[in-house]
Amino acid sequence: MDALIRFTGTVLPLPARDINNDVVVPGRFLKMIDRDDARLRLALFHDWRFFEDGRPRPEFPMNRPEHQGATILLTGANFGCGSGREKAPWALLASGFRAVISTSFAEIFRSNALNNGLLPVTVAARAARALLAAVTKEPGLEVTIDLPAQEVRWRGGRASFPIDSFSKRCLVRGWDPLDYLLWHAGAISRFERTR
Amino acid sequence: MTRRRFCEAVGVGAAALALPGCGGRARTLYDKIWDAHRVLEEPGYPAVLYVDLHLLQDNTSSPAFHGLRRRGLSVRRPERTIATIDHTLSTTDPARPHPDPTTRAIIEAMRANSRGAGIRLFDIDSGQQGISHVIAPELGLTQPGMTIVCADSHTSTHGAFGALAFGIGTTDVERVLATQCLLASRSKRLEARIDGALPAGCTAKDVILALLAKLGIDGAVGHVIEYRGSAVRALSMEGRMTLCNMTIEAGARAGLVAPDDTTFEYLASREHAPRGRAFDEAVVRWRALATDDGAAFDTAVHLDASALEPMVTWGTDPGTAVPITARVPDPAARPGAGERASARRALAYMDLRPGEPLLGRRVDVVFLGSCTNARLTDLRLAAALLRGRRIQVKRMLVVPGSQQVKRACEAEGLHRVFLDAGCEWRAPGCSMCMALNGDEVAPGQYCVSTSNRNFEGRQGPGARTFLASPLTAAASALTGALEDPRRWTR
Ligand code: SF4
């Protein structure tokens, strides 16, 4: 996993709340033997992005010229609910996203995102509204996400976000939590002997 | 011997930690299981939690094995891991190689990965294949006090036995395969107290749909729910599984029911449950798992089961359940702007109008199946309504949750009831719950489904889902429209 420290990018606004993982990656795209980025890019928000005949829906924000190249998704509460499919953060990463900003996340999505270096940024409702208003006014607005400072900054606004210290250290230093578990193999064996 | 000395004498295993009083404070069922599985917890780090049983399914495990191979790691505890093929399997002719090459490759990968790691796979020739959350309980693999994980959000089902069971992602599968442990932090505790006797025509499915309507689909985020109260005690294990299964739809980490005589009766003589004296000893330990008197919950919610009606969802999330006699709600009446927008979107997708009655709404397809409602009692309930009658919908799929369930139904002649009524009697699998295997609802069609999710596109692109109980599903199949099962059960 690459270290993720601070970066600046533009925002794709998708303000609906409760966007579930069946919408993020519809079921029929899930079948894969190993992570398949081309398929995941096609799958992302597929049924909201395309008509049944495959033509793009012009009004969907991802299809708007002003939002091409966005690396930050700004979305409504309880993002990633329902299915725990890890293909949801994979598809976002494969499509160039590095962070998702919302007022809340579903638990498995949040954990899957952190495990893959996609940063879930939980901000207060007021900050989310302010950022949405700013992006609506100026779609190319540059937004900086500063993980060490746990802060989102844009011209005219800023918001802090929480993250547990372990996840933060893993992301900033590019650590893999599996190494932490493997490091404790001895303790795990001792635990197994007590049962 | 004092209680503390006794705890020390028997060590720090699950048994000791489950004893009331060890540690000196009143604990919930959840706390006891958590404490008994915490390998270590260092300041500034999440806890290392030991996993007793790891379930693998075809749709999510292959990339995890690739990850293991890339790192040169092997499976630490193959005997604590079991595998099944459920999501992608054809329910018409599972033994024939699947026509879709990717599906074929996924199934073959599951076989090769299990064989290579020495993991027991419940394949189609085992006589025990089925949906993971159906087979682990019926084989007695799911036991009280265990920690159980699976890369599948409905792993919460196993909480019905008083096991701490939850869904994980593919990266976590890789970690559990390599270390038999997970990194996790403690959840808050939510007490869902459900009292009163369920009225005729209502089932555990109606209870959980009503609770979801009350909590909302993010109402339990950060929590583990313990279901308590007289209505929960009165439920069969199968009903409790239905309840815990849909716990995830409230955003909860897991759902739990304290084990009791109903649990022990279900487990006695199951293939992988302890036997004889070992079983009796296990029962003593299992009983001690119950939440201590005076243990504190962070949140509480109450539901009066006696006031319930058969429930059905009108929208595109499982929190949109209303009594089947209700009308489609008006989005304008919802509290926040976000909720109003979601409701309007849902009504557009479902092509429903505020104020119109749900009863009598056209239904094209009925799906009786899934890890929520494809066990023997579920199929019996539906068969009782269908017996000697003909369905009026275009198609009704009946997909038993496992080969064991299928055989039990056939031994009772239920398959004949379904076939005579005009239903399709299929081989076990997830089928139309997720439409991964080719069983789909056509775009724009309405399906009454006993599964757990009515999200846009869940049962196929453009498919419209009404979630309901097996009774409501059967009654609607007989009417060709949304129907109150009480009209058929009286
Ligand atoms: S039946 Fe449906 S919810 Fe259950 S495991 Fe299969 S796909 Fe998932």
Side-chain angles (χ1 to χ4, degrees):
Chain A
M1 202 154 67
D2 297 333
L4 184 134
I5 298 172
R6 65 177 70 77
F7 70 95
T8 300
T10 59
V11 171
L12 175 76
L14 218 54
R17 53 166 301 144
D18 302 317
I19 294 181
N20 65 69
N21 282 343
D22 278 79
V23 165
V24 182
V25 177
R28 62 191 183 283
F29 294 99
L30 293 177
K31 284 189 262 184
M32 52 186 79
I33 298 295
D34 201 359
R35 183 165 160 171
D36 176 349
D37 280 358
R39 191 169 168 78
L40 289 161
R41 271 194 294 276
L42 173 67
L44 183 65
F45 299 119
H46 184 279
D47 298 350
W48 285 10
R49 242 165 95 201
F50 301 104
F51 291 111
E52 268 129 61
D53 61 9
R55 277 178 307 120
R57 297 178 192 263
E59 78 290 356
F60 187 65
M62 241 181 116
N63 295 329
R64 313 280 315 165
E66 64 270 27
H67 293 305
Q68 298 309 305
T71 53
I72 300 165
L73 175 67
L74 173 62
T75 187
N78 196 28
F79 182 78
C81 60
S83 160
R85 57 192 67 165
E86 195 154 319
K87 278 119 188 168
W90 288 356
L92 285 161
L93 285 163
S95 307
F97 292 96
R98 306 184 68 187
V100 184
I101 303 179
S102 177
T103 52
S104 61
F105 292 92
E107 268 181 85
I108 311 183
F109 175 84
R110 190 186 153 81
S111 139
N112 285 341
L114 286 168
N115 280 338
N116 286 279
L118 176 73
L119 188 62
V121 177
T122 309
V123 297
R126 262 178 72 163
R129 275 197 301 273
L131 182 56
L132 180 63
V135 171
T136 309
K137 223 170 102 195
E138 186 191 341
L141 181 76
E142 292 204 325
V143 173
T144 297
I145 294 186
D146 184 336
L147 178 54
Q150 294 181 217
E151 201 174 61
V152 187
R153 290 187 292 270
W154 64 96
R155 194 158 16 78
R158 63 173 59 209
S160 62
F161 63 89
I163 183 168
D164 70 276
S165 65
F166 178 71
S167 300
K168 182 172 170 176
R169 268 174 294 158
C170 286
L171 290 170
V172 169
R173 298 180 193 171
W175 285 354
D176 185 338
L178 176 51
D179 291 329
Y180 179 72
L181 285 170
L182 291 168
W183 169 258
H184 284 299
I188 297 170
S189 295
R190 278 193 298 283
F191 180 85
E192 283 174 327
R193 283 196 294 273
T194 66
R195 326 188 76 231
Chain B
M1 197 190 294
T2 67
R3 202 167 253 166
R4 177 158 292 280
R5 292 244 331 268
F6 177 76
C7 292
E8 284 160 5
V10 296
V12 288
L17 282 155
L19 283 172
C22 289
R25 66 190 164 86
R27 293 181 302 163
T28 63
L29 167 58
Y30 169 65
D31 296 317
K32 293 180 190 182
I33 303 175
W34 176 276
D35 292 346
H37 291 83
R38 194 179 43 193
V39 175
L40 59 99
E41 190 170 3
E42 299 179 303
Y45 290 82
V48 175
L49 198 69
Y50 195 75
V51 172
D52 290 321
L53 179 64
H54 185 192
L55 314 174
L56 299 175
Q57 48 113 315
D58 46 345
N59 187 41
T60 46
S61 50
S62 169
F65 281 95
H66 276 281
L68 274 189
R69 281 192 286 271
R70 276 193 285 268
R71 284 173 155 270
L73 293 168
S74 55
V75 178
R76 183 185 171 97
R77 290 277 162 214
E79 77 284 4
R80 288 193 177 273
T81 315
I82 65 155
T84 190
I85 304 173
D86 50 10
H87 281 67
T88 58
L89 204 62
S90 159
T91 56
T92 42
D93 194 358
R96 252 221 346 254
H98 202 284
D100 169 48
T102 314
T103 305
R104 230 164 32 233
I106 283 176
I107 292 172
E108 282 315 316
M110 187 81 261
R111 290 180 176 141
N113 287 329
S114 309
R115 208 180 313 119
I119 291 167
R120 177 145 181 207
L121 169 68
F122 292 92
D123 207 337
I124 48 171
D125 56 5
S126 66
Q128 297 178 324
Q129 174 267 336
I131 305 172
S132 58
H133 315 313
V134 176
I135 65 170
E138 75 186 3
L139 292 169
L141 287 159
T142 299
Q143 294 170 19
M146 280 185 162
T147 46
I148 302 176
V149 299
C150 175
D152 191 288
S153 55
H154 293 102
T155 309
S156 57
T157 311
H158 308 263
F161 291 80
L164 176 59
F166 51 88
I168 56 176
T170 299
T171 302
D172 279 326
V173 170
E174 191 182 328
R175 292 177 193 162
V176 177
L177 287 173
T179 66
Q180 203 57 35
C181 288
L182 261 186
L183 294 171
S185 34
R186 205 185 273 260
S187 303
K188 291 192 200 135
R189 315 158 194 87
L190 190 155
E191 176 186 31
R193 181 164 280 282
I194 308 164
D195 287 312
L198 267 180
C202 288
T203 67
K205 182 65 162 284
D206 303 292
V207 174
I208 188 64
L209 286 173
L211 192 72
L212 289 168
K214 194 164 187 157
L215 281 170
I217 57 170
D218 61 354
V221 171
H223 291 79
V224 165
I225 301 180
E226 183 177 338
Y227 295 100
R228 293 150 66 86
S230 59
V232 179
R233 290 292 131 221
L235 284 178
S236 68
M237 286 317 292
E238 302 193 333
R240 294 177 189 182
M241 283 190 254
T242 302
L243 199 60
C244 288
N245 174 274
M246 288 189 74
T247 299
I248 178 67
E249 310 309 337
R253 191 82 184 108
L256 288 166
V257 176
D260 60 10
D261 289 339
T262 306
T263 322
F264 311 142
E265 233 165 76
Y266 178 98
L267 280 169
S269 77
R270 300 265 160 189
E271 187 178 334
H272 294 273
R275 280 164 199 261
R277 236 189 92 182
F279 184 81
D280 299 336
E281 285 166 8
V283 167
V284 174
R285 285 198 310 275
W286 293 341
R287 262 191 219 289
L289 288 163
T291 292
D292 299 332
D293 290 338
F297 287 86
D298 299 279
T299 320
V301 56
H302 184 258
L303 194 73
D304 176 7
S306 68
L308 284 182
E309 291 193 65
M311 302 291 285
V312 67
T313 59
W314 55 267
T316 53
D317 73 61
T320 59
V322 290
I324 193 153
T325 51
R327 287 166 185 273
V328 175
D330 187 353
R334 299 196 114 194
E339 283 85 354
R340 286 194 289 276
S342 306
R344 271 193 289 271
R345 204 195 146 80
L347 288 187
Y349 183 84
M350 294 294 288
D351 195 22
L352 294 172
R353 266 148 295 279
E356 74 176 308
L358 283 160
L359 274 178
R361 181 79 205 183
R362 184 194 96 222
V363 171
D364 306 291
V365 182
V366 170
F367 173 57
L368 176 57
S370 89
C371 57
T372 315
N373 279 130
R375 299 183 179 85
L376 182 58
T377 47
D378 300 313
L379 272 53
R380 274 186 190 149
L381 277 179
L385 256 68
L386 295 171
R387 190 177 295 277
R389 297 180 170 127
R390 292 285 299 177
I391 57 168
Q392 302 299 320
V393 282
K394 294 192 181 77
R395 59 194 301 221
M396 174 166 174
L397 255 68
V398 184
V399 187
S402 70
Q403 293 178 338
Q404 257 193 58
V405 171
K406 184 164 191 273
R407 280 195 302 275
C409 286
E410 288 173 353
E412 291 181 16
L414 300 186
H415 66 308
R416 284 260 54 102
V417 175
F418 292 123
L419 287 166
D420 291 347
C423 309
E424 299 170 43
W425 176 243
R426 295 294 187 89
C430 295
S431 181
M432 216 178 243
C433 170
M434 199 174 172
L436 267 191
N437 71 333
D439 299 338
E440 284 191 357
V441 177
Q445 284 194 335
Y446 289 94
C447 175
V448 176
S449 179
T450 64
S451 57
N452 41 52
R453 286 180 177 151
N454 51 355
F455 297 144
E456 287 179 35
R458 172 80 180 184
Q459 297 194 284
R464 296 171 174 143
T465 305
F466 294 122
L467 296 177
S469 76
L471 278 177
T472 303
S476 302
L478 290 172
T479 318
L482 278 180
E483 171 67 318
D484 189 333
R486 292 170 296 190
R487 295 199 201 159
W488 296 79
T489 46
R490 262 183 212 132

